[in-house]
């Protein structure tokens, strides 16, 4: 089965970064990895700049998904995480 990579760029709500990080690590990632075809998920904190400009987001998450097609990989992630 083909494997797809999904990158997600995100920010915490201002003043809620600690709460966001706790929720993301303890709930979101385990829930996302319980979805069919989800192989791996990692999140990274970005630097303050990207190519000489302010970085648009503070975090980047990277997921690996096994699915028959790209559309199905995206649907697995968006439909599944939308239920959490």
């Amino acid at each position: 089965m083909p494997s797809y990579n999904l990158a997600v760029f995100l920010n915490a709500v201002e003043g809620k970064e600690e709460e966001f990080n706790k929720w993301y690590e303890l709930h979101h990632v385990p829930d996302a990895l319980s979805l069919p075809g989800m192989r791996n998920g990692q999140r990274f904190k970005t630097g303050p700049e990207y190519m000489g400009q302010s970085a648009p987001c503070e975090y980047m998450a990277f997921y690996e998904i096994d699915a028959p097609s790209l559309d199905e990989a995206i649907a697995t992630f968006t439909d599944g995480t939308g239920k959490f």
Side-chain angles (χ1 to χ4, degrees):
M1 181 174 304
S3 182
Y4 298 91
N5 298 313
L6 174 65
V8 180
F9 297 88
L10 53 154
N11 288 314
V13 172
E14 190 172 327
K16 301 274 188 174
E17 189 166 1
E18 185 176 332
E19 183 180 335
F20 169 74
N21 286 326
K22 184 177 178 181
W23 167 81
Y24 206 93
E25 293 299 322
L26 297 178
H27 299 283
H28 181 71
V29 171
D31 288 344
L33 293 178
S34 73
L35 296 170
M38 297 293 290
R39 285 198 301 139
N40 191 19
Q42 296 179 300
R43 186 173 58 122
F44 304 92
K45 186 157 177 73
T46 64
E49 291 187 0
Y50 175 74
M51 298 181 75
Q53 298 181 9
S54 293
C57 293
E58 292 183 68
Y59 296 94
M60 194 267 314
F62 185 77
Y63 296 94
E64 296 175 63
I65 308 167
D66 292 333
S69 70
L70 176 59
D71 288 341
E72 289 184 58
I74 293 169
T76 293
F77 185 81
T78 56
D79 294 347
T81 59
K83 295 174 186 174
F84 302 148

